[in-house]
Amino acid sequence: MKKNSLAPETLAAQALRHIDEATGSVVPPMLATSTFARDENYDLREGYIYSRYAGPTTTHAEEIIAALEGSDDSLLFNSGMSASVAVVEALPPQAHVVAQGMMYHVGLQWLDRQAARGVISLDHFPAGDLDALADQIQPGKTKLVWIETPANGDWSITDIAAAAELAHAAGAILMVDSTAAPPCTQKPLDLGADISFHSATKYMGGHSDFTAGVLSARTDLHIWDEIRNVRSFQGTILPAFEAWLLIRSLRTLHIRYAACSSNAMAFAKHFAAHRDIETVLYPGLPTHPSHHVAANQMHNGFGGMMSILINGKDNRAFEMAKKTELFIPATSLGGVESLIEHRRTVAGPDSGIPDNLLRISIGIEHIDDLIADFEQALGATAHLG
Ligand SMILES: *Cc1c(COP(=O)(O)O)cnc(C)c1O
């Protein structure tokens, strides 16, 4: 069977039909080495020189992700942050960058610092607002538009195809942080984006046992070689063991994401109608302000991420995050276990996150247990209602 006739689920489940030639091992081997011996002619055997540049296990994981993203190439990094930072470092000096005002808060902090140091110039726009984005883009000067959809905080949605048009008309490239929507549901490159970016720590990894980041693009992207150079200089490539865990994880990406999505939809519907809840911010709900845009660009579920605004006194949400028994009070997202977070405490008072917001990452546990636990936490804080 030809690989290119196979569905992404099939390619991922069988790690691109890999069977080890020598041993028949169904699981790809992990090759952990820092350096590669040359052959008798002093030539490189398979192009590998030194593990700060590339290694076979990491390359294998990159090939799987490229197949899922529909990209020419993918580059894995040792965290989502090191991946996204490499894009900005590959831009020409003094580049103008436009980024959302609300997105993953550490990415935002890093951009603000680069701007404060004069390395880039930076403007923000409210997530999802294409008119405001158009106003911030400076033709000929803007080099990078950075969007995140669905976006951390309120899970607002930006129309990727429309943002790509705006960026391209001004001579800029579009990077989409698609962490909350892995390629089994959203493929930014197909919608015109230049770079698809994921914190692979989240859904791609899915088991909360390592950090990773990945960029995918067409190889004719003018800064692609420079991004690879940045990774080689900085040594931010994903090491073999984590790449091996990631290959393991990608085998089940489609079913994990489907399970998180159906659990989250049931959870969101249950609590959207609850008298103790002000709003459930979940792009899968028809009441979400940009549900139609989400439905247009997320083809296989809306994922497990939502924010829930709690009715009652200011500190009720914070108290609830301490009262859940099943939801684990930890940051991060996209794992098989459900997490709860009082986001304002984590992202800081300048983040614009309301005090009554709980960020929830729904996992693959039984939906009845998840609903019962959240009900129980609402009950335990009823005196603050
Ligand atoms: C976690 C996250 C990042 C950063 O990734 P790390 O792997 O933690 O470095 C970037 N964007 C989004 C949307 C995230 O959730």
Side-chain angles (χ1 to χ4, degrees):
M1 271 179 146
K2 289 245 169 53
K3 269 185 203 168
N4 54 15
S5 70
L6 297 171
E9 288 87 337
T10 308
L11 293 172
Q14 297 202 3
L16 296 183
R17 303 274 303 127
H18 178 95
I19 291 166
D20 188 52
E21 291 278 336
T23 64
S25 166
V26 168
V27 174
M30 183 191 59
L31 277 161
T33 182
S34 63
T35 190
F36 298 84
R38 289 167 181 264
D39 68 11
E40 62 278 9
N41 301 317
Y42 210 71
D43 289 329
L44 300 172
R45 292 161 200 248
E46 291 186 26
Y48 295 111
I49 307 169
Y50 186 59
S51 280
R52 206 180 61 245
Y53 308 136
T57 310
T58 307
T59 302
H60 189 166
E62 288 170 344
E63 286 169 357
I64 298 170
I65 293 172
L68 300 184
E69 290 272 19
S71 63
D72 292 344
D73 199 12
S74 297
L75 291 171
L76 274 163
F77 292 75
N78 56 13
S79 73
M81 276 306 295
S82 60
S84 55
V85 159
V87 174
V88 178
E89 298 234 329
L91 297 174
Q94 310 300 319
H96 180 241
V97 175
V98 180
Q100 286 175 194
M102 197 187 278
M103 59 177 217
Y104 177 65
H105 67 295
V106 182
L108 208 52
Q109 281 167 11
W110 183 80
L111 282 173
D112 285 340
R113 282 172 65 127
Q114 298 309 102
R117 294 174 61 216
V119 179
I120 56 169
S121 61
L122 177 67
D123 282 300
H124 295 301
F125 72 100
D129 185 339
L130 291 169
D131 292 335
L133 171 59
D135 286 346
Q136 297 303 336
I137 294 177
Q138 301 177 30
K141 191 164 172 241
T142 304
K143 300 294 179 224
L144 173 70
V145 175
W146 178 340
I147 65 171
E148 178 179 317
T149 185
N152 255 284
D154 59 4
W155 310 104
S156 56
I157 303 292
T158 301
D159 184 327
I160 296 172
E165 270 184 39
L166 290 173
H168 294 161
I173 62 169
L174 177 72
M175 173 163 78
V176 179
D177 182 340
S178 192
T179 296
C184 51
T185 196
Q186 176 168 286
K187 292 170 72 179
L189 301 179
D190 285 358
L191 298 164
D194 301 282
I195 300 177
S196 172
F197 158 52
H198 289 265
S199 166
T201 311
K202 314 296 169 54
Y203 283 108
M204 285 189 182
H207 298 69
S208 308
D209 47 12
F210 61 92
T211 66
V214 65
L215 303 172
S216 301
R218 290 182 310 277
T219 36
D220 63 3
L221 181 70
H222 61 285
I223 59 168
W224 191 245
D225 287 342
E226 188 55 20
I227 291 172
R228 186 193 302 276
N229 288 340
V230 170
R231 186 181 75 166
S232 295
F233 283 130
Q234 296 185 336
T236 49
I237 187 172
L238 190 69
F241 179 55
E242 283 79 357
W244 185 79
L245 285 174
L246 179 57
I247 293 169
R248 176 276 325 251
S249 295
L250 290 168
R251 295 176 155 224
T252 56
L253 174 65
H254 291 77
I255 57 162
R256 282 188 288 103
Y257 194 74
C260 293
S261 295
S262 72
N263 265 354
M265 188 66 100
F267 195 90
K269 281 187 180 152
H270 179 90
F271 287 104
H274 199 288
R275 67 188 156 79
D276 286 354
I277 304 298
E278 182 186 308
T279 330
V280 175
L281 298 169
Y282 182 60
L285 287 178
T287 50
H288 187 278
S290 36
H291 171 70
H292 59 288
V293 185
N296 221 10
Q297 63 192 21
M298 298 172 77
H299 297 295
N300 223 341
F302 299 96
M305 294 311 299
M306 71 183 73
S307 292
I308 300 189
L309 280 70
I310 310 294
N311 282 330
K313 299 219 167 66
D314 283 352
N315 62 340
R316 185 176 185 187
F318 181 74
E319 291 303 317
M320 272 186 73
K322 295 192 280 181
K323 287 284 192 270
T324 53
E325 289 165 9
L326 201 57
F327 280 93
I328 300 166
T331 196
S332 199
L333 63 96
V336 291
E337 64 285 290
S338 295
L339 305 180
I340 188 166
E341 180 167 74
H342 186 252
R343 193 65 185 162
R344 189 181 167 90
T345 302
V346 175
D350 297 336
S351 59
I353 306 277
D355 217 9
N356 68 336
L357 181 147
L358 288 170
R359 188 181 90 166
I360 305 234
S361 173
I362 299 279
I364 65 167
E365 303 93 336
H366 198 286
I367 182 62
D368 294 350
D369 291 336
L370 295 175
I371 289 176
D373 188 39
F374 204 77
E375 288 277 12
Q376 169 278 124
L378 279 169
T381 57
H383 60 288
L384 300 169

